[in-house]
Amino acid sequence: KQVNDGHYLKDVVLQPLFFDTQAKPDIGVAALQQAITVAGVRFVLTGYSSVSIAQAPIAERNEVVLMNQGGASPSLSHLSPWFFNAIPLTHLQVPVLLEEVIEVMKKPKLAMIYRDDDLGKGLLQIYGPTATALGGTLVGQESYLPGANDFRRQLARLRADQPDMVYIGGVATEIGAVIGQGASLGFRPLWTSYGAYNHKATIEWGKDAAEGGIYTNPANIGPDLKPLPAYQAMLDAWKAAYGSTDDVD
């Protein structure tokens, strides 16, 4: 709407089309193929690391621009000349977070629970070596399959490792469940993650155990903790159109 109302593309009018990938690579591939062959799209916004990786060859083969706005795996870096990232990937975010936890907060015993997919595996490759380089120790790591909703077995093993901090390498709806199930086991370390932590499900499912967690996220507020002008303009427009900004991260 902003692009069309502002005539940013002169006489070109953008028309959005929506396809649900269900966060699954095979469905994401089928959706992209349909968007290209049936609807003739030339620019696509996508998300989820595994979905993006599966879609990238199709976008390149058809010379369609694919813009990632949600996937965070380091594997998305230099993926294709037709693939772009609108957010900093986790290999840029993890070192910033670990510096804060290890050097500033003095919490050197670290653990990780991660999704067994491109996101989680990519995080694992960075997390351990970065922690070691900063003087920390990775005392435990556990994985779970995409689609899992019971993490208590993995959390019980991590609890025995007695970490100061646990990094959750999962998607938004999994983070709150991990925290909530950890609390049910009496396991309340410092929880950390990337921007997926900033989701209403984290509080809904993690409840008070999610309070005080730390996560990295591209900034939409300034040093004064007030929304940046572009973000504030988006919030105002969203509220004018829909009456509330409750569903805006």
Side-chain angles (χ1 to χ4, degrees):
K1 185 177 186 301
Q2 184 179 13
V3 172
N4 289 339
D5 290 350
H7 302 287
Y8 294 171
L9 301 177
K10 296 185 179 179
D11 296 330
V12 175
V13 177
L14 296 182
Q15 179 183 357
L17 300 173
F18 301 93
F19 298 84
D20 185 4
T21 71
Q22 301 178 34
K24 297 177 180 178
D26 57 338
I27 296 178
V29 165
L32 181 58
Q33 289 174 328
Q34 181 182 0
I36 294 171
T37 58
V38 178
V41 300
R42 308 306 303 161
F43 178 86
V44 177
L45 292 172
T46 190
Y48 293 102
S49 299
S50 295
V51 172
S52 298
I53 290 171
Q55 289 176 327
I58 297 164
E60 182 172 350
R61 186 163 59 248
N62 289 275
E63 298 186 345
V64 169
V65 174
L66 194 59
M67 176 72 73
N68 165 47
Q69 58 179 352
S73 170
S75 301
L76 300 180
S77 181
H78 307 294
L79 188 59
S80 162
W82 290 88
F83 184 89
F84 298 86
N85 293 295
I87 60 172
L89 303 177
T90 46
H91 67 287
L92 302 173
Q93 297 185 39
V94 165
V96 176
L97 186 144
L98 290 181
E99 284 180 12
E100 176 70 17
V101 171
I102 296 171
E103 297 182 350
V104 178
M105 302 181 72
K106 307 300 181 185
K107 294 181 179 291
K109 294 176 61 179
L110 314 176
M112 181 176 179
I113 181 169
Y114 64 95
R115 209 172 200 255
D116 189 10
D117 65 358
D118 293 293
L119 169 64
K121 292 174 182 176
L123 279 164
L124 186 63
Q125 290 176 358
I126 299 162
Y127 188 81
T130 303
T132 300
L134 292 170
T137 303
L138 183 60
V139 298
Q141 62 188 54
E142 294 288 336
S143 67
Y144 58 88
L145 293 175
N149 53 32
D150 188 344
F151 312 101
R152 285 170 290 190
R153 178 169 52 86
Q154 294 94 328
L155 289 166
R157 288 198 290 260
L158 289 180
R159 181 182 59 183
D161 297 324
Q162 299 183 322
D164 300 316
M165 179 270 269
V166 176
Y167 190 98
I168 308 171
V171 299
T173 52
E174 295 165 349
I175 291 175
V178 168
I179 294 171
Q181 290 176 27
S184 73
L185 298 173
F187 185 40
R188 288 175 174 258
L190 171 65
W191 296 108
T192 65
S193 192
Y194 65 108
Y197 200 104
N198 182 28
H199 190 279
K200 61 182 180 181
T202 302
I203 297 299
E204 288 175 357
W205 297 342
K207 296 185 169 55
D208 66 307
E211 296 288 350
I214 298 177
Y215 63 93
T216 52
N217 203 41
N220 49 28
I221 59 173
D224 58 357
L225 301 183
K226 294 181 180 179
L228 296 171
Y231 185 60
Q232 185 62 60
M234 187 277 291
L235 291 175
D236 293 342
W238 188 280
K239 187 172 183 178
Y242 303 108
S244 171
T245 58
D246 290 347
D247 290 331
V248 179
D249 286 341

